[in-house]
Amino acid sequence: MSFTTPHVGFLNDLKNYLPIGTLIVPSGHDSILGIHWEEHYPNVIFGDSALANEARVFHKSVWALLCLGWLRTFARKHPQDHSLVQIRVYVLPSDVGGRYVERSAKDWECIRQLMKYLDLSAEGWEGTEDLKRPKNDLFGHELRPEHDDSLFFIFNTLPSPRPSFVVSCPYSSHAITSLLDDTGNIPGLRAELYAYQRRSAAAMIQREVEPARTLDPRLEEISCPTGDKCLYDRMTGVISRYPRYYEEAKGGILSETMGLGKTLICLAVILATKGHWPQIPPQYSLERRQLRPRVGSLMDMAATAANQERIPWRSHFQRMSSQGDDFDHCRHLLEQNVPSYVIPAPEARRSRRPTTESQGEVIQLCATTLVVVPSNLFSHWRNEIATHVEEGALNVFYVDSNEVLMPLAKELQSYDIILLTKARFQEEMSLTSTLKNRCSCAETMRCYCSAHNSVPYLSTLANLHFLRIVVDEGHDFSSFGRKSNAVYALQKLRVDRRWIVSGTPSSGLLGVEASTATLETLSGVGDRDSLLVKDILEKRRNRGADISSELSVRKSALLQERKDLEKLGSIVVDFLDLRPWANGRGGNDGASWKQYIIPDENGQRKPHSLRKVLETLVIRHRIEDVEKDIKLPPLHNRVVYLEPKWHDKLSLNLFTMNLAVNAVTSERIDQDYMFHPKNRASLNQLITNLRYSGFYWTAFTKEEVSKSTDVSRKYLEDKSIVGPGKEGLGNLREGDFNYLRRAILTGETVLDCPSWRAYSSAHELGLYIDDFPKDAREAWSLTQDNPGQPLIMGAPQLSKAQNFIDTHLYASDPASGLNELGKSIMDKIWQSVQIKQSKTKRDSNDTVAPQHNPRERRSAPIATSIQKPAMMGKHTISRAKPSSSPRKSSNREICESRTNGQPPIQEIRPQPLKSALKSSSTPQAVQPFEPSSTLSKTRLSGTASAKLSYLLDRITVLHESEKILIFYEGDNIAFYIAQTLELLGIQFLIYAGSLSALRKSAYITTFNTTETFRVLLMDVHQAAHGLHIAAASRVFFVNPVWQPTVEAQAIKRAHRIGQKRAVYVETLVLKDTLEDQMLRRRKNMSAQEHHKAEKSLLDDDIMEQVIKDADFIPLLPEEIKNIQNQMAPLQNPPNLFGRVSAAGANFHDPDKDLIFPEGIQVSGRKRKAAENGVSHSDGLLVAKQVKVAFGI
């Protein structure tokens, strides 16, 4: 074959082509091919007869390419079978001969189609292959098991960092050496780093200053039949002879697992690179040398040269200053000659009008690290800096709210760290920011600057080029399918090095060691964690490994992986600006993250690309490498199965009753049926409430239960059913008949229970009291008093009785007046209940009920079961009891006043505030009563909740020696627990979602650093990434958690670096209930099933059926009338009266015991009154008592 183009020499040289593979097709009957290789066009190869399918495709794909010189083909009769034609195909690579042959994406698509039919083997090239075996084609590689590894498996098998000691920058090389040298110390760092932390910090610096050049992740190396190597892009069909490299990001994702000190690693990096300068962008490097208006001094020129060479002089002068040398003048000159560069102004449009020439924008380099954190982690970072960094080693500027003014650019350059909350960072860079410009005028001048005009806010951050930005918990940096405000804010900044810090960049990128935290501890198994890690990794290696999983489950898992990868893609493109994925921002050679990385609709992932990309992004140690350097204290996890008590059963049975009545009366069809798709939101809330009721529930009203019972009876009457097997109008199945009869029996039992009626009406959690003063029993009882059995009270009422006795301990008869107080309090409660009930009746009467045809289906109302429970209270911090031991001089006066028939005056004196670090919440042991006194025998014998009784028993035993972390779901559960803890004098904090960021921070700091508060109750969904609660060594889950990842994150709040004790985790489960079945189901679910049902129990088909088939819990005959058998007894009933406040606790102002960030004031009338020893409300009480005592 010969070419008639000017470039015939190049195209005729076969060395310029790559031997890519062979194609075997049937020969036409008029083919003129022989047994020797000859170069021909397709019509010669196949003859003029009708072509086979393969030949037709070949002919169509390459005819034009042959004519253009893209391909060259040599053909002969196959040596093993002359009825076949063997064709050798040579391809002109994309990076060779571009000046001779023009190529387009459409042409490369033809090559991609051709590659599907080629045999790449050497045997096929020589014609010695076995014709009966499948050809060795390129696309067969996709079927290999390793190419279907799950995202979870890839993430957990990434290689641990192995940083190099030497990099091109001598200053960074010194920093890396100081980190990797086990005997050396990092200047300014108090803490001793573990070896894995040193390696991670060193790897971060190495990536920042010397990012590796990696092969374009779109390309994969393939072997030609002749042994040569080439590179192939499967998506576009482009074939290259020479590799194409891209520079890795100057940063990445620090993804050490939860609790292994990511914050400390970041601080070590910042200290090791203190004073290092960012690089001037190459496109502006020629503009960096600005002319001075006049000749500078030798010192000025030396300072400018030192900065232009990016010498980190800050750490040097700080070290010299610590030795007593003074170089303030040198430092001042260096600060005045900070390096900068100019961004040229855009070219002005042509105009006849005279215009002023813009000089461009001057950007100054800044050796500062921006740290952006969620609001709830701001205090954590502040505390870590104070704990691990020597005083004066880092100059830090804290910006935690919009009230903090951002300094001018010159002042910002003096800081090593600017710590901002994410909310303030977004507001700082927003186009619609409500922040005010800062005045830059001298104080003595009359100011006319933009700070006082309606000029849009311009952040001083935009005028600087920062060394580094660190975004803690940056996994939510960007949202699916759109850019977040944080992304837009970042794109306005100029930053040299960028880091996301997150142990879980997405739900699929979760450390395997976190999964082991949720598993129960097995006794007698050695090296449990390593065995579990291997087992979990193997089970979750292949995305399609669980063949038994139904198609919908696998689709759900695929959808979740696609979401995870989309989220990772937003980090890669929008945050890290990593090439080639970010090429589309204005450059050529754009690469689509979705096309190359995200699996297609069938779940087929492109081989090699994902693992290679993650290796260039993530810095993370495998768990086996971490355990060589550090061993965390043991983690013991167990499930505690409790027998449900009477009121537990009633609450759960009422939910089952609602489901049963609705299912039967709606006949499980149409929208009346609760499980109809349109009712999914309401059903989800019902199931949530059902789970909460495993602890306690009072939201059902007597009227609602009565109505459901009546509807059930009426339904049976309408069906003319007398017994099983008899047919009427509707032919009710025997199973449904029995189901409805049990629902009716449940309703009748509940309505006949006095304690349930009382708890439901008053919305109180029942407490059972032994040896309460006999004269006051009836006055304080929530139900009709039964002498000889425990008294039933609510926690708020018992607290009032307790306070009354404790404030009169040293009177001749402390219980005098208790009966009258009880009557007054209980009368108010029942009056309030009656008002609410009458209002409810009026509201229901105002609504005209629709008339129903007797033959129509009527389903029972289930409104209460699908409503969110009302909040029981708002205080989230325990209030100490008033002191029971006034001065001796006042005891006599109090007793005398009572003997004279006057009400006693309680003397309230300021209590000395002890150090919060030394205070204890352990009640003082006092004996204020005579041994024969009934008050000394009054005890809390039990509660209406099996879980609460168990918790109280455990807390009373453990709280003096260990701190306790209790995870709950539903705020009412937290307040029920808090009420009883207050009765026992155990101080607590409630970390609820409704708290401000400032108070959340104060609660964590106080709990970790003081002895005042022994119990922290935390909403399990607030157990955010990054929270450090290593002060707690006992962890309780009030209810089993459906999502294993949420549970693992919660456990890791306590089981982390800094924990000195073994951590014991207990999950409370009521035996043979829905939560028991839920937990058992969760243990047997695959990863794909977990992904599918992550948001709701109902998304799991098995759990949905379990809920549909929910059965009633049997009620024992001995429980129905006997109060003693109804309560959940305490193993060690505590006495209730005579308990004294915590030694260091402040009764008048609980916030006095909190540790707020430095400079934060929590003031007001309450704080001022507390500082004087009297709260406002107590001051009014004292004044009233004084008036009564003296007849004023």
Side-chain angles (χ1 to χ4, degrees):
M1 180 182 297
S2 62
F3 296 93
T4 59
T5 65
H7 316 295
V8 62
F10 173 83
L11 296 178
N12 279 336
D13 188 353
L14 200 59
K15 293 181 180 179
N16 294 322
Y17 290 80
L18 285 171
I20 200 66
T22 56
L23 181 69
I24 298 176
V25 296
S27 174
H29 64 83
D30 53 352
S31 174
I32 61 173
L33 291 177
I35 61 173
H36 300 291
W37 291 109
E38 299 181 48
E39 187 172 9
H40 293 290
Y41 280 109
N43 62 328
V44 177
I45 297 174
F46 302 114
D48 296 329
S49 60
L51 303 178
N53 289 336
E54 293 86 350
R56 188 180 300 113
V57 171
F58 178 79
H59 185 280
K60 181 179 179 181
S61 299
V62 304
W63 178 270
L65 302 181
L66 284 166
C67 295
L68 293 174
W70 277 53
L71 297 178
R72 295 183 67 176
T73 55
F74 294 80
R76 69 174 181 179
K77 291 183 178 179
H78 199 284
Q80 300 182 44
D81 187 347
H82 287 183
S83 66
L84 300 175
V85 175
Q86 181 185 8
I87 307 171
R88 284 180 175 177
V89 180
Y90 294 78
V91 177
L92 186 65
S94 64
D95 49 2
V96 175
R99 59 183 295 190
Y100 303 117
V101 179
E102 293 184 2
R103 281 160 278 198
S104 65
K106 183 177 180 181
D107 296 326
W108 282 117
E109 175 61 23
C110 293
I111 296 291
R112 194 178 76 87
Q113 294 297 329
L114 172 63
M115 291 291 288
K116 295 180 180 180
Y117 300 97
L118 296 183
D119 184 351
L120 308 184
S121 67
E123 294 80 7
W125 188 262
E126 298 297 335
T128 59
E129 78 278 22
D130 185 352
L131 296 177
K132 296 181 180 180
R133 298 184 63 182
K135 66 179 183 297
N136 182 18
D137 64 349
L138 180 68
F139 289 81
H141 296 189
E142 292 182 348
L143 302 177
R144 289 186 296 180
E146 61 267 24
H147 293 163
D148 201 33
D149 289 344
S150 67
L151 184 60
F152 175 85
F153 181 84
I154 294 174
F155 179 70
N156 281 282
T157 54
L158 294 175
S160 298
R162 293 289 182 264
S164 170
F165 275 86
V166 180
V167 293
S168 57
C169 173
Y171 311 110
S172 299
S173 181
H174 175 73
I176 292 174
T177 302
S178 67
L179 283 166
L180 295 179
D181 186 2
D182 295 337
T183 61
N185 293 323
I186 301 167
L189 188 66
R190 289 196 187 105
E192 184 68 29
L193 296 178
Y194 292 102
Y196 77 89
Q197 292 175 323
R198 291 177 176 271
R199 291 192 297 270
S200 290
M204 290 175 69
I205 297 176
Q206 182 177 334
R207 285 199 183 179
E208 289 179 338
V209 299
E210 204 168 77
R213 296 175 71 245
T214 58
L215 181 67
D216 187 336
R218 296 170 293 178
L219 302 179
E220 60 178 295
E221 187 180 81
I222 60 175
S223 296
C224 297
T226 58
D228 297 330
K229 302 290 184 181
C230 66
L231 298 149
Y232 179 62
D233 184 339
R234 288 174 180 261
M235 304 308 299
T236 62
V238 173
I239 299 175
S240 305
R241 170 166 283 170
Y242 305 108
R244 183 169 64 244
Y245 294 98
Y246 281 97
E247 198 173 71
E248 293 181 2
K250 289 186 176 181
I253 304 173
L254 176 61
S255 195
E256 298 290 3
T257 196
M258 295 177 287
L260 291 185
K262 293 185 289 294
T263 305
L264 182 56
I265 293 172
C266 291
L267 291 176
V269 170
I270 294 171
L271 281 167
T273 59
K274 178 179 178 178
H276 289 207
W277 294 100
Q279 284 187 338
I280 293 176
Q283 63 269 34
Y284 306 126
S285 59
L286 297 178
E287 308 289 339
R288 64 177 182 166
R289 299 185 184 274
Q290 301 179 48
L291 295 178
R292 298 176 183 274
R294 56 187 177 85
V295 177
S297 67
L298 185 59
M299 288 284 287
D300 284 329
M301 289 188 283
T304 301
N307 282 331
Q308 286 177 344
E309 294 302 321
R310 298 185 295 125
I311 297 174
W313 48 263
R314 282 189 184 180
S315 56
H316 174 74
F317 283 118
Q318 183 175 8
R319 185 167 58 254
M320 299 294 289
S321 298
S322 65
Q323 297 173 1
D325 297 325
D326 184 10
F327 293 95
D328 287 345
H329 182 59
C330 292
R331 295 184 62 167
H332 177 71
L333 286 174
L334 287 165
E335 290 170 355
Q336 294 299 317
N337 292 274
V338 171
S340 62
Y341 60 91
V342 178
I343 300 178
E347 294 184 5
R349 297 190 329 185
R350 293 184 178 181
S351 174
R352 294 182 179 180
R353 296 181 181 179
T355 58
T356 57
E357 184 179 353
S358 175
Q359 299 300 316
E361 184 180 5
V362 178
I363 303 297
Q364 292 187 324
L365 299 189
C366 181
T368 303
T369 296
L370 286 171
V371 180
V372 180
V373 302
S375 298
N376 63 327
L377 295 184
F378 187 87
S379 177
H380 167 72
W381 269 84
R382 194 167 191 161
N383 293 336
E384 290 290 286
I385 292 172
T387 302
H388 300 304
V389 178
E390 294 176 359
E391 187 175 356
L394 289 177
N395 191 13
V396 186
F397 183 64
Y398 298 98
V399 190
D400 61 343
S401 67
N402 290 348
E403 284 70 34
V404 180
L405 293 177
M406 190 64 69
L408 300 175
K410 207 67 179 176
E411 184 181 348
L412 285 177
Q413 289 175 312
S414 65
Y415 291 104
D416 299 303
I417 296 177
I418 300 175
L419 181 63
L420 307 94
T421 62
K422 182 180 176 182
R424 173 59 191 269
F425 174 66
Q426 294 176 171
E427 182 69 18
E428 185 73 22
M429 306 305 295
S430 173
L431 291 174
T432 59
S433 175
T434 59
L435 300 174
K436 302 295 183 183
N437 286 295
R438 185 162 189 166
C439 177
S440 57
C441 304
E443 295 181 0
T444 57
M445 295 175 55
R446 179 176 293 181
C447 175
Y448 296 99
C449 72
S450 62
H452 304 287
N453 301 326
S454 57
V455 177
Y457 179 76
L458 179 62
S459 175
T460 52
L461 300 180
N463 301 324
L464 299 171
H465 188 123
F466 291 94
L467 173 67
R468 182 188 294 112
I469 185 170
V470 175
V471 181
D472 197 5
E473 299 305 336
H475 50 272
D476 58 350
F477 188 83
S478 186
S479 303
F480 298 127
R482 62 182 178 86
K483 294 182 180 178
S484 67
N485 292 334
V487 171
Y488 285 115
L490 179 70
Q491 290 177 353
K492 297 178 184 177
L493 285 181
R494 296 171 180 88
V495 185
D496 197 45
R497 312 169 185 185
R498 305 171 183 229
W499 289 99
I500 290 283
V501 179
S502 176
T504 54
S506 69
S507 60
L509 298 176
L510 179 69
V512 64
E513 60 279 358
S515 301
T516 64
T518 64
L519 302 177
E520 289 187 74
T521 307
L522 303 176
S523 58
V525 178
D527 200 13
R528 164 186 175 265
D529 286 346
S530 62
L531 293 174
L532 288 175
V533 165
K534 293 178 181 178
D535 185 51
I536 293 173
L537 280 176
E538 195 57 38
K539 285 183 178 179
R540 297 185 60 179
R541 174 169 186 168
N542 195 315
R543 295 177 299 154
D546 190 1
I547 305 301
S548 62
S549 297
E550 58 183 82
L551 181 61
S552 62
V553 172
R554 294 198 293 273
K555 285 185 177 180
S556 176
L558 173 62
L559 179 62
Q560 182 61 48
E561 180 170 308
R562 290 173 64 90
K563 289 181 178 179
D564 290 337
L565 291 174
E566 285 175 11
K567 200 169 187 178
L568 184 62
S570 66
I571 293 175
V572 167
V573 176
D574 297 325
F575 181 79
L576 296 174
D577 196 27
L578 180 64
R579 311 294 171 177
W581 312 113
N583 283 351
R585 285 187 171 180
N588 297 322
D589 192 28
S592 169
W593 177 268
K594 180 178 180 180
Q595 184 181 24
Y596 283 90
I597 300 298
I598 298 179
D600 59 25
E601 291 75 8
N602 298 320
Q604 189 65 55
R605 190 193 288 138
K606 293 73 186 176
H608 305 303
S609 297
L610 181 57
R611 180 176 287 275
K612 286 195 293 186
V613 169
L614 288 179
E615 287 176 358
T616 64
L617 293 179
V618 177
I619 288 183
R620 183 180 189 278
H621 279 80
R622 293 187 181 184
I623 185 60
E624 58 266 26
D625 294 326
V626 173
E627 291 179 345
K628 295 175 183 176
D629 304 324
I630 180 177
K631 192 70 175 179
L632 290 176
L635 174 65
H636 304 279
N637 195 338
R638 73 185 185 107
V639 177
V640 179
Y641 292 97
L642 302 172
E643 289 289 345
K645 304 306 289 185
W646 172 256
H647 285 281
D648 298 322
K649 295 177 182 180
L650 292 187
S651 296
L652 294 169
N653 280 351
L654 281 175
F655 278 96
T656 304
M657 174 186 177
N658 271 262
L659 293 172
V661 174
N662 174 263
V664 176
T665 58
S666 68
E667 298 179 7
R668 298 179 179 86
I669 58 174
D670 296 336
Q671 200 168 336
D672 284 345
Y673 185 35
M674 197 63 196
F675 286 86
H676 189 276
K678 291 186 177 180
N679 297 327
R680 179 51 66 98
S682 298
L683 183 59
N684 273 324
Q685 186 59 53
L686 183 148
I687 301 305
T688 299
N689 293 345
L690 172 55
R691 293 183 56 216
Y692 294 169
S693 69
F695 185 86
Y696 193 70
W697 189 262
T698 61
F700 286 109
T701 66
K702 181 176 66 175
E703 291 74 18
E704 289 168 339
V705 176
S706 178
K707 189 171 184 179
S708 293
T709 307
D710 291 342
V711 167
S712 301
R713 292 197 189 99
K714 184 68 169 62
Y715 184 81
L716 291 182
E717 292 174 3
D718 290 344
K719 292 295 183 179
S720 301
I721 297 296
V722 180
K726 296 189 177 181
E727 297 182 359
L729 298 176
N731 189 22
L732 192 65
R733 292 183 304 173
E734 180 178 351
D736 283 349
F737 171 81
N738 293 329
Y739 207 25
L740 208 54
R741 286 297 302 163
R742 295 180 68 186
I744 295 172
L745 180 60
T746 296
E748 293 172 344
T749 303
V750 167
L751 294 173
D752 193 43
C753 178
S755 57
W756 181 90
R757 295 197 303 270
Y759 300 156
S760 175
S761 299
H763 291 287
E764 298 291 356
L765 188 148
L767 303 179
Y768 296 82
I769 316 302
D770 281 338
D771 296 319
F772 196 82
K774 292 182 179 180
D775 294 341
R777 278 180 60 99
E778 187 173 353
W780 286 93
S781 179
L782 276 176
T783 62
Q784 184 177 358
D785 188 31
N786 295 312
Q789 295 202 27
L791 175 67
I792 298 178
M793 297 179 67
Q797 296 81 51
L798 181 55
S799 179
K800 289 182 172 64
Q802 190 183 51
N803 286 339
F804 180 86
I805 295 295
D806 288 349
T807 53
H808 298 84
L809 285 181
Y810 294 93
S812 58
D813 182 9
S816 177
L818 184 62
N819 184 56
E820 291 74 13
L821 178 64
K823 290 180 179 179
S824 173
I825 289 174
M826 297 307 295
D827 285 345
K828 290 179 181 179
I829 290 175
W830 297 125
Q831 288 174 8
S832 175
V833 170
Q834 290 176 357
I835 292 172
K836 290 180 181 178
Q837 289 178 345
S838 60
K839 183 178 183 302
T840 302
K841 289 181 180 179
R842 286 197 305 270
D843 293 342
S844 62
N845 291 335
D846 291 342
T847 304
V848 179
Q851 298 298 319
H852 290 280
N853 187 318
R855 293 179 180 272
E856 290 179 349
R857 297 188 309 273
R858 296 178 59 191
S859 57
I862 50 175
T864 300
S865 59
I866 63 173
Q867 293 175 353
K868 295 183 179 180
M871 296 289 288
M872 295 198 51
K874 292 184 178 180
H875 71 281
T876 58
I877 181 171
S878 57
R879 298 174 182 272
K881 302 295 180 183
S883 175
S884 60
S885 53
R887 293 185 177 182
K888 292 182 179 179
S889 59
S890 64
N891 291 348
R892 189 179 302 109
E893 297 173 2
I894 293 175
C895 295
E896 288 176 3
S897 67
R898 287 195 67 84
T899 57
N900 293 332
Q902 299 291 339
I905 300 176
Q906 179 192 0
E907 185 178 29
I908 302 179
R909 298 182 180 273
Q911 299 294 320
L913 293 176
K914 299 184 179 181
S915 168
L917 294 174
K918 296 180 181 179
S919 61
S920 170
S921 65
T922 306
Q924 300 174 2
V926 295
Q927 296 294 336
F929 305 114
E930 296 292 335
S932 60
S933 172
T934 306
L935 296 176
S936 65
K937 302 176 182 178
T938 304
R939 282 175 167 75
L940 176 64
S941 58
T943 75
S945 167
K947 290 184 178 181
L948 179 59
S949 293
Y950 180 85
L951 270 178
L952 292 180
D953 278 329
R954 299 292 288 153
I955 291 172
T956 53
V957 170
L958 298 170
H959 81 278
E960 293 185 8
S961 58
E962 299 184 64
K963 286 192 175 183
I964 299 165
L965 180 58
I966 300 175
F967 289 108
Y968 66 87
E969 293 181 87
D971 287 337
N972 277 352
I973 293 177
F975 291 124
Y976 283 136
I977 298 172
Q979 287 174 341
T980 52
L981 291 180
E982 282 190 331
L983 291 172
L984 303 183
I986 299 173
Q987 291 194 270
F988 61 86
L989 296 166
I990 303 178
Y991 192 98
S994 57
L995 296 180
S996 66
L998 177 63
R999 187 164 287 273
K1000 286 180 179 179
S1001 170
Y1003 281 13
I1004 296 296
T1005 302
T1006 304
F1007 184 74
N1008 279 331
T1009 58
T1010 76
E1011 296 299 321
T1012 304
F1013 299 95
R1014 307 299 297 174
V1015 179
L1016 177 64
L1017 295 104
M1018 177 175 282
D1019 186 335
V1020 71
H1021 297 290
Q1022 293 294 314
H1025 310 269
L1027 284 181
H1028 180 90
I1029 319 178
S1033 55
R1034 295 285 178 167
V1035 179
F1036 293 92
F1037 288 92
V1038 173
N1039 296 322
V1041 182
W1042 174 242
Q1043 304 99 326
T1045 55
V1046 173
E1047 182 182 353
Q1049 289 163 6
I1051 293 173
K1052 281 298 180 179
R1053 299 311 103 212
H1055 191 244
R1056 58 198 298 116
I1057 286 183
Q1059 179 59 259
K1060 305 300 182 184
R1061 297 171 174 264
V1063 176
Y1064 294 86
V1065 180
E1066 297 183 35
T1067 300
L1068 309 187
V1069 177
L1070 293 182
K1071 192 184 300 183
D1072 299 326
T1073 62
L1074 173 68
E1075 63 183 20
D1076 187 0
Q1077 294 173 293
M1078 182 196 84
L1079 186 60
R1080 297 179 192 279
R1081 168 60 183 152
R1082 196 196 82 172
K1083 292 178 180 179
N1084 295 322
M1085 290 172 67
S1086 65
Q1088 292 92 334
E1089 290 170 324
H1090 276 302
H1091 281 305
K1092 178 188 176 185
E1094 185 176 18
K1095 295 183 179 179
S1096 171
L1097 287 171
L1098 298 171
D1099 290 333
D1100 179 62
D1101 296 336
I1102 294 179
M1103 276 310 304
E1104 182 179 26
Q1105 194 59 46
V1106 167
I1107 296 169
K1108 287 181 178 179
D1109 297 339
D1111 202 358
F1112 294 91
I1113 304 174
L1115 301 175
L1116 303 178
E1118 58 269 22
E1119 295 175 324
I1120 296 178
K1121 296 297 182 181
N1122 192 321
I1123 295 178
Q1124 196 81 34
N1125 293 330
Q1126 291 181 359
M1127 73 174 183
L1130 293 172
Q1131 298 299 319
N1132 300 296
N1135 63 319
L1136 290 171
F1137 299 135
R1139 308 183 74 92
V1140 182
S1141 168
N1146 192 288
F1147 170 60
H1148 309 295
D1149 183 8
D1151 281 359
K1152 195 78 172 182
D1153 295 317
L1154 295 180
I1155 299 177
F1156 286 94
E1158 184 179 353
I1160 300 297
Q1161 299 294 329
V1162 182
S1163 58
R1165 181 175 62 177
K1166 176 181 176 182
R1167 168 56 56 86
K1168 292 177 181 178
E1171 289 174 350
N1172 294 325
V1174 182
S1175 69
H1176 178 69
S1177 58
D1178 289 331
L1180 296 177
L1181 175 62
V1182 172
K1184 183 177 180 180
Q1185 289 178 333
V1186 170
K1187 289 180 180 181
V1188 173
F1190 293 95
I1192 300 176

